[in-house]
Amino acid sequence: MKLVRDPEKLQRMLREERARGKSVGFVPTMGALHEGHLSLVRASNRENDITIVSIFVNPTQFGPKEDLARYPRPTRRDLDFLRAAKVDFVFMPSVEAMYPKGLAEPLKLKNAKWPRLAKGLCGKFRPGHFCGVATVVTKLLNITGLCRLYLGAKDLQQAAVISQLVRDLDTDIQVRVMPTVREKDGLAMSSRNRFLSTDERRRALAISRILFGLKRELLRKRSVATLRLRAIQELKKSVDRVQYFEIVDPGTLVPVKKHQKKMAVATACFVGKTRLIDNVIIRA
Ligand code: PAF
């Protein structure tokens, strides 16, 4: 496993790999790796000759009041994890290497579709977040070059925004969205789960329980609006704050009023100070 910190050096190394006919899979992360990331690495290892994982806590996607400073950075553990997972390259740039001119104006594309996808759900409560994600992912993809890109379905909106972004930019990148990995009791794996106390961890279980319960009820064609309100009431008994809880069209992320073939239920909740997101997809 090669650890590379310099963007140009990685660009050069991957160019050489591609010239030798090797296909490249790329898993972008912010570190604090868990089984969810590992499932992306496994998929990339299966489908490509070379797998590269980036670890970069991207400052431009955090709001001023968000958890950038306290975001976990267990670097040695992450590198052991990636070595065991047989990753070929780890890219760990500094903030200065990624943003040599300072924290650049985030990318905004006129006429592109992704800013529209970025408006609701998390975007409503994290203004600028997806511009920061789009900026860093564009930069990372320019560094890695042509690759298959692996993203987790837990970040429903991020996956939608990035999938649209690579289409809007006419790239030849293939985006692979892999299923959410859950703990045995249903909690979606997240780097932020480590912040939960035992009591918060127990209360956080309501999120997946209620999402899957709602999925069953929606499949029985009960009223979308009534079920949504009932689920929110139920969730409020366990979590400290429901930031949003929406039943949306998974293509447009616009809330749906009545049943349709494909729907997604997506939520963000605070348990203590920790913000957790989760979602389920419903195919009627
Ligand atoms: O999902 C994440 O960890 C980040 O948003 C990503 C895609 C690595 C961009 O910083």
Side-chain angles (χ1 to χ4, degrees):
M1 183 177 89
K2 293 192 182 90
L3 173 62
V4 187
R5 293 183 188 274
D6 177 33
E8 273 179 36
K9 189 169 171 198
L10 182 73
Q11 219 164 21
R12 211 169 39 244
M13 290 168 110
L14 292 178
R15 210 181 293 132
E16 283 165 12
E17 295 291 351
R18 266 190 301 271
R20 284 190 216 115
K22 308 270 188 200
S23 58
V24 176
F26 173 41
V27 182
T29 82
M30 298 204 301
L33 304 173
H34 51 69
E35 282 294 316
H37 297 110
L38 192 60
S39 76
L40 304 183
V41 169
R42 280 202 204 101
S44 173
N45 278 344
R46 252 192 332 267
E47 297 174 358
N48 305 282
D49 301 314
I50 302 278
T51 291
I52 148 151
V53 175
S54 64
I55 299 181
F56 180 62
V57 183
N58 172 38
T60 65
Q61 69 188 73
F62 287 81
K65 291 196 183 125
E66 292 184 346
D67 58 352
L68 174 63
R70 97 172 177 136
Y71 200 85
R73 292 164 171 85
T75 307
R76 194 173 300 160
R77 192 185 152 277
D78 282 349
L79 292 177
D80 288 345
F81 196 78
L82 294 177
R83 205 169 290 115
K86 303 226 177 319
V87 163
D88 301 281
F89 292 91
V90 179
F91 180 46
M92 250 177 60
S94 64
V95 172
E96 293 70 31
M98 285 302 282
Y99 296 106
K101 297 194 183 103
L103 302 182
E105 263 290 288
L107 187 75
K108 277 187 193 132
L109 287 181
K110 281 192 184 142
N111 305 326
K113 286 188 188 147
W114 69 263
R116 231 175 297 149
L117 289 169
K119 275 198 178 135
L121 305 178
C122 293
K124 188 166 166 199
F125 300 93
R126 303 188 72 188
H129 169 68
F130 288 110
C131 281
V133 170
T135 304
V136 79
V137 170
T138 304
K139 286 166 80 64
L140 289 167
L141 288 173
N142 283 336
I143 295 166
T144 58
L146 190 60
C147 63
R148 277 198 192 93
L149 175 67
Y150 293 82
L151 300 171
K154 185 176 80 81
D155 298 310
L156 171 83
Q157 192 170 17
Q158 171 167 282
V161 164
I162 296 176
S163 302
Q164 187 60 52
L165 173 78
V166 300
R167 282 198 292 273
D168 286 340
L169 294 176
D170 302 309
T171 70
D172 204 6
I173 307 278
Q174 192 188 335
V175 180
R176 305 272 289 123
V177 182
M178 308 311 286
T180 303
V181 179
R182 296 179 181 280
E183 303 278 2
K184 280 204 184 77
D185 56 12
L187 183 69
M189 298 245 181
S190 163
S191 303
R192 291 183 170 99
N193 287 353
R194 69 189 64 206
F195 294 138
L196 300 170
S197 67
T198 313
D199 171 61
E200 289 167 349
R201 169 81 180 63
R202 185 185 52 75
R203 291 193 287 121
L205 284 182
I207 302 172
S208 54
R209 179 170 45 78
I210 288 165
L211 283 177
F212 282 101
L214 182 58
K215 178 174 178 168
R216 282 191 296 274
E217 298 279 321
L218 279 169
L219 285 169
R220 285 196 226 136
K221 299 268 191 293
R222 302 246 163 92
S223 150
V224 169
T226 316
L227 284 175
R228 175 177 170 268
L229 289 180
R230 209 191 294 156
I232 294 173
Q233 290 314 324
E234 193 58 30
L235 200 47
K236 280 184 176 165
K237 291 181 194 160
S238 299
V239 306
D240 295 298
R241 182 149 61 95
V242 180
Q243 191 176 57
Y244 68 78
F245 188 98
E246 299 291 350
I247 304 174
V248 298
D249 178 307
T252 61
L253 304 185
V254 172
V256 300
K257 293 205 171 69
K258 46 184 199 266
H259 279 264
Q260 57 180 58
K261 263 201 175 135
K262 225 174 150 193
M263 294 176 278
V265 190
T267 185
C269 300
F270 281 89
V271 186
K273 285 198 176 113
T274 307
R275 182 177 180 276
L276 300 173
I277 59 169
D278 199 354
N279 69 82
V280 289
I281 303 284
I282 295 136
R283 289 180 188 83

